[in-house]
Amino acid sequence: MEERPKWSSQTGFLLAAIGSAIGLGNIWRFSYMAYQNGGGAFLIPYFLALVTAGIPLMILEFGLGHSMKGSSVLSFRRIDRRLEWFGWWMPLLVMYGIMLYYTVIIGWCLNYTLFSLNLAWGKEPASFFSETFLRKAKGAWDLQDIVGPIFVSTGVVWLITWFICYKEVNRGIERACKIFMPALFVLTLVLVFWGCSLKGAGDGLKFYLKPDLSKLKDVSVWTSAYGQIFFTLSIGFGIMIAYASYLPRKTNLVKNAFITSVVNCLYSFIAGFAVFSVLGYLVYAQGTAPTREAFENVVKEGAALAFVTYPQAISELPAFNRLFGVLFFLCLTIAGISSAISIIEALTCAVTDKFSVARRKVVSILCATGFLGSIVFVCHSGLIWLDIVDRFINHYGLVLAGFLECVFIGWILKARSLRKHINAVSSWNLSQIWDYLIKFLSPAILGTIYVMDVVNIIKKGYGEYPTKTLLLIGLNALILSFILATVFTIYPWRRKPELVIHEPEEDKVLV
Ligand code: PFF
């Protein structure tokens, strides 16, 4: 008889799910996107994406994992044996696509936490970041060598991830998130209040939130909002399915899905105050008028915003700037690690479900291969690889995963039968509207976004990279996950999937 591990409390489960959702993406990616895509007006497509795809799919993943009592692999296999492949593909895509570079960025955050102690970036944070720290090469194939300090910090991140995941979920991930999440909320609030008390903060917030409704006519604003919702909620990763499989029978799945999604999005919105208040101060400290041009000069995308603009602002702060720097990069590190552990769990859950191998062995192998895979992103041209892989997996992998998930659950399992299970165990009832969202609206929106995105890259290419490089790196990252998923699917089950977990009768069947 095999006992499936269980969360020791609802709060533990919620904190772990929120921990997976809140990650590196929330702290600067959201605020930057909002600024770029119409400021306060971006909240309209973002909110619509949350309501029409984010929350319904979160409920779907919680319901699926809970009703099938299994990882994404076991759950999809139990729906139909032909769907097992898809159950493998989701977590493998994230593990060998996103995780390999995600841990490297967490490593950078660790490095920058230390750099904050003596403001090591000096007066030129931009050249410090790309030349001294990353030692950035010119082309993707110019890998040169491993960058020592990043190699070490990435190794430390993998070691921490291994250490947390090595133990059973209720003793490893649950305990870690019970410490990490409250700490993250407190640190973020400190940064928000600190930032908002600075001179010029009001101007920064004005630029963050001022609505530019004309931007809503631009389709790319809508695709960005849907893409961001998927990434930020960790949907289509197989994570939430695995996490929900460890829940007890009576669980308010609808409420939990709602809380996880809303807390995550609120956190992004609030973290934006910490980012933009400080940028407002930077413009003020440079002595320029707070005009659009002045902000355009300081606001930079993704990596540059966190590792160039922010350090520059930290150096300018009137007091305790080292402490501010440590707190900011510590926030990023904590948020990143609580997300990283969740994908290791999703895959560990899948492998143990199918092959009945000891959990500790699986976690060790995953972390060791993950660390080896990260090495390419630690080389001199790592940033270029990171940029390309990130783009391909997020745009062409995750949205496709979400689309297929809606189709398989909506039409093969039938949304109605999953809703019946969800309503049988939750105290909040789902109405029939959810079935329509899963069967029609969400896949229609995701499918349209996908086609538009593909047409866009064919027409315009991506950034300054040559098409050959793009396809070789980006497509191969996708192809690797296809091959791995096929290999794992073909390999025979150690036990019959239906017998992997022995549960009381009423737990096993979907009503
Ligand atoms: N939800 C995470 C974020 O917003 O940063 C994304 C994520 C990436 C989750 C990688 C899990 C993961 F393994």
Side-chain angles (χ1 to χ4, degrees), residues 88 91-92 95-96 99-100 103 158 161-162 165 340-352 358-374 484 488:
W88 280 113
L92 283 167
M95 171 71 193
Y96 293 105
M99 254 301 261
L100 302 187
T103 44
W158 276 107
T161 308
W162 171 81
C165 294
I341 51 181
S342 65
I343 192 64
I344 296 293
E345 184 54 44
L347 213 45
T348 304
C349 183
V351 175
T352 47
R359 173 188 179 86
R360 296 181 167 205
K361 218 189 242 172
V362 181
V363 171
S364 304
I365 293 174
L366 288 179
C367 291
T369 53
F371 177 51
L372 288 179
S374 290
L484 281 173
F488 280 113

Side-chain angles (χ1 to χ4, degrees), residues 347-400:
L347 213 45
T348 304
C349 183
V351 175
T352 47
D353 273 352
K354 180 158 182 175
F355 304 112
S356 317
V357 195
R359 173 188 179 86
R360 296 181 167 205
K361 218 189 242 172
V362 181
V363 171
S364 304
I365 293 174
L366 288 179
C367 291
T369 53
F371 177 51
L372 288 179
S374 290
I375 289 179
V376 71
F377 299 98
V378 162
C379 293
H380 290 225
S381 57
L383 186 62
I384 303 175
W385 280 67
L386 191 159
D387 195 17
I388 297 176
V389 174
D390 177 62
R391 165 80 181 199
F392 261 81
I393 304 294
N394 286 333
H395 283 243
Y396 311 111
L398 290 186
V399 179
L400 182 62

Side-chain angles (χ1 to χ4, degrees), residues 20-21 23-26 98-99 102 231-232 234 237 239 339 342-343:
S20 170
L24 295 176
N26 295 59
I98 300 176
M99 254 301 261
Y102 200 78
F231 187 79
T232 191
S234 306
F237 292 26
I239 294 172
S339 295
S342 65
I343 192 64

Side-chain angles (χ1 to χ4, degrees), residues 266-288:
L266 260 182
Y267 179 88
S268 296
F269 180 65
I270 293 170
F273 282 74
V275 174
F276 272 82
S277 56
V278 171
L279 296 183
Y281 173 76
L282 183 60
V283 170
Y284 163 83
Q286 287 173 342
T288 35

Side-chain angles (χ1 to χ4, degrees), residues 1-232:
M1 273 277 264
E2 192 167 325
E3 255 308 310
R4 198 168 188 81
K6 290 251 182 301
W7 301 104
S8 47
S9 65
Q10 288 281 335
T11 321
F13 160 73
L14 261 180
L15 289 176
I18 294 171
S20 170
I22 295 181
L24 295 176
N26 295 59
I27 298 184
W28 81 85
R29 195 161 182 250
F30 170 81
S31 47
Y32 171 77
M33 280 198 136
Y35 170 79
Q36 269 254 305
N37 294 309
F42 181 69
L43 295 179
I44 298 171
Y46 186 74
F47 180 74
L48 280 175
L50 174 68
V51 174
T52 57
I55 298 177
L57 269 130
M58 185 69 83
I59 297 175
L60 182 156
E61 293 208 351
F62 280 0
L64 185 63
H66 185 259
S67 63
M68 296 290 175
K69 287 270 174 267
S71 58
S72 52
V73 172
L74 188 54
S75 297
F76 277 99
R77 164 76 196 220
R78 282 178 168 172
I79 297 174
D80 186 319
R81 59 184 310 136
R82 287 164 304 177
L83 295 184
E84 182 188 330
W85 184 88
F86 180 67
W88 280 113
W89 181 57
M90 288 196 293
L92 283 167
L93 175 77
V94 182
M95 171 71 193
Y96 293 105
I98 300 176
M99 254 301 261
L100 302 187
Y101 71 77
Y102 200 78
T103 44
V104 175
I105 306 181
I106 307 172
W108 296 353
C109 297
L110 266 183
N111 288 121
Y112 266 72
T113 309
L114 294 180
F115 293 157
S116 301
L117 294 174
N118 61 348
L119 306 178
W121 46 79
K123 294 213 167 358
E124 293 288 338
S127 66
F128 176 84
F129 178 59
S130 62
E131 285 158 35
T132 318
F133 179 59
L134 294 181
R135 296 203 251 143
K136 197 178 160 200
K138 290 221 163 53
W141 305 108
D142 189 15
L143 285 164
Q144 291 179 31
D145 205 352
I146 286 170
V147 180
I150 308 181
F151 178 78
V152 173
S153 58
T154 305
V156 171
V157 172
W158 276 107
L159 206 64
I160 298 174
T161 308
W162 171 81
F163 183 74
I164 297 173
C165 294
Y166 193 71
K167 301 181 196 124
E168 290 293 341
V169 270
N170 55 341
R171 289 194 299 121
I173 293 185
E174 185 170 344
R175 276 197 199 155
C177 287
K178 277 184 175 163
I179 301 169
F180 282 169
M181 299 324 286
L184 181 66
F185 293 143
V186 172
L187 289 182
T188 309
L189 282 180
V190 170
L191 290 176
V192 168
F193 284 112
W194 194 337
C196 289
S197 69
L198 296 168
K199 290 210 168 80
D203 292 317
L205 297 183
K206 219 158 61 198
F207 276 92
Y208 170 37
L209 294 173
K210 200 167 124 196
D212 176 2
L213 292 171
S214 69
K215 285 264 187 185
L216 296 185
K217 284 187 240 143
D218 186 350
V219 265
S220 74
V221 171
W222 292 83
T223 56
S224 301
Y226 275 86
Q228 173 68 5
I229 278 291
F230 263 71
F231 187 79
T232 191

Side-chain angles (χ1 to χ4, degrees), residues 391 396 451-462 467:
R391 165 80 181 199
Y396 311 111
V451 172
M452 279 185 335
D453 242 1
V454 172
V455 170
N456 205 29
I457 197 158
I458 293 173
K459 271 200 197 147
K460 295 192 192 150
Y462 172 56
T467 315

